[in-house]
Amino acid sequence: MKPINLIIVDDNQDSLEILKFFISQLKDFNIMDTCKNGEQLIDSVMKNKPELVIADINMPNKNGLEAIKECLVFAPELKFIFATGYNEFAVEAFAISAVDYLVKPIEKIRLYKALERAKTVILNDREGAEPSSYKRLAVRSNSSFYYIAFHDIIFIEKSGKKCIIYTVNQTVETYENISDIYKQLDDNFYRTHRSYIVNLCMLSHITPKNETYFAYFINHEKYAHISKLKINEVQEMLAQITNI
């Protein structure tokens, strides 16, 4: 395959050298340029037209998040991975569809996994597949950050002060607001009830029950609620998904 051209931006020379060394061992990636700040990155992306950027966040002149957002205006297909010493920017990073978010010190295996994920996304784009930015929901649970692939989420339930995220492989509890979670998700998700967000692609059937409706899912024993006021909208959205 044609190597994936990338640019690295980091104001720390040691971090740049480490990333360059790790990536140089991979034949599927070609480092086109390295930059020291966000302004340099914007100029380099305009000039070199890379497919991938690995960006630090806290940099002089313009931080990595701001620079990437500006790059996406003129290079909307650009894919990017953040590699930073700060974990508090993760939610914002995934909100703009980062492929991955690495916290320093960077481990080689973790970097390689992120690059493999980026390669899959980029190859799909090259082949004209449906856009696949590997969107993920970023939430905090206790002292950990979880990054959950959209396609793994079955539904989300508000229970008291917590939200419970039911996925194909696990259940994640968070104290984040259900409205804030909903803002991160794409059009395959719908807030069917004040306490539920449903992945419409996972629905298997809907059953009326008194003054509400129960939504059941493929290979999952739990169910979500659909309010009587939302049922028509849900059915219309499901029809659109089915016809795509």
Side-chain angles (χ1 to χ4, degrees):
M1 63 169 255
K2 172 187 170 185
I4 292 170
N5 290 322
L6 66 88
I7 293 172
I8 306 171
V9 55
D10 199 311
D11 63 327
N12 184 290
Q13 187 62 35
D14 290 340
S15 294
L16 271 179
E17 293 301 326
I18 290 170
L19 287 168
K20 285 171 60 180
F21 175 73
F22 286 158
I23 296 169
S24 68
Q25 301 177 54
L26 302 175
K27 62 181 179 60
D28 291 338
F29 294 88
N30 171 53
I31 300 171
M32 304 179 78
D33 193 13
T34 59
C35 307
K36 290 293 187 71
N37 59 59
E39 293 288 358
Q40 290 181 8
L41 173 65
I42 293 167
D43 290 342
S44 185
V45 170
M46 293 183 71
K47 175 184 175 183
N48 294 301
K49 297 179 173 56
E51 294 175 286
L52 177 65
V53 169
I54 301 178
D56 189 16
I57 290 181
N58 190 22
M59 297 183 294
N61 298 336
K62 191 182 293 289
N63 73 38
L65 275 166
E66 293 171 343
I68 289 294
K69 288 177 183 178
E70 290 193 30
C71 290
L72 290 173
V73 173
F74 60 83
E77 299 303 315
L78 181 68
K79 303 300 181 288
F80 48 96
I81 296 167
F82 288 107
T84 177
Y86 303 86
N87 60 18
E88 61 262 36
F89 300 105
V91 172
E92 186 176 357
F94 284 114
I96 61 171
S97 299
V99 173
D100 213 330
Y101 189 98
L102 310 179
V103 178
K104 297 177 181 178
I106 303 300
E107 297 178 357
K108 182 169 74 170
I109 293 176
R110 182 70 181 86
L111 172 65
Y112 284 3
K113 286 182 179 179
L115 289 170
E116 188 64 29
R117 184 173 293 127
K119 182 171 76 172
T120 299
V121 173
I122 290 167
L123 291 181
N124 283 340
D125 285 355
R126 284 182 181 178
E127 293 168 3
E130 288 298 314
S132 173
S133 55
Y134 201 81
K135 296 179 181 178
R136 293 193 289 171
L137 173 66
V139 295
R140 185 165 189 158
S141 180
N142 296 322
S143 59
S144 299
F145 281 96
Y146 285 79
Y147 310 111
I148 308 166
F150 282 11
H151 59 75
D152 285 340
I153 298 171
I154 300 171
F155 73 96
I156 300 166
E157 177 185 10
K158 181 180 183 297
S159 178
K161 295 182 178 180
K162 296 187 295 186
C163 281
I164 305 170
I165 303 167
Y166 297 96
T167 79
V168 173
N169 300 310
Q170 63 181 336
T171 299
V172 177
E173 295 186 356
T174 177
Y175 282 97
E176 294 188 27
N177 185 279
I178 192 169
S179 296
D180 293 336
I181 292 174
Y182 189 42
K183 290 175 184 176
Q184 287 194 61
L185 300 169
D186 64 18
D187 291 341
N188 288 328
F189 292 85
Y190 188 64
R191 193 165 180 182
T192 60
H193 184 281
R194 66 177 180 272
S195 297
Y196 290 89
I197 300 169
V198 166
N199 183 348
L200 298 174
C201 296
M202 288 288 195
L203 269 172
S204 64
H205 62 285
I206 299 170
T207 302
K209 184 71 172 180
N210 299 326
E211 293 298 308
T212 188
Y213 292 80
F214 288 170
Y216 293 90
F217 304 92
I218 302 166
N219 298 323
H220 194 76
E221 61 182 15
K222 292 188 176 293
Y223 57 85
H225 289 247
I226 302 175
S227 74
K228 186 168 60 175
L229 296 174
K230 297 290 186 74
I231 186 63
N232 290 335
E233 293 178 38
V234 170
Q235 290 172 334
E236 289 174 4
M237 295 176 73
L238 286 169
Q240 291 175 7
I241 292 173
T242 303
N243 291 330
I244 290 175

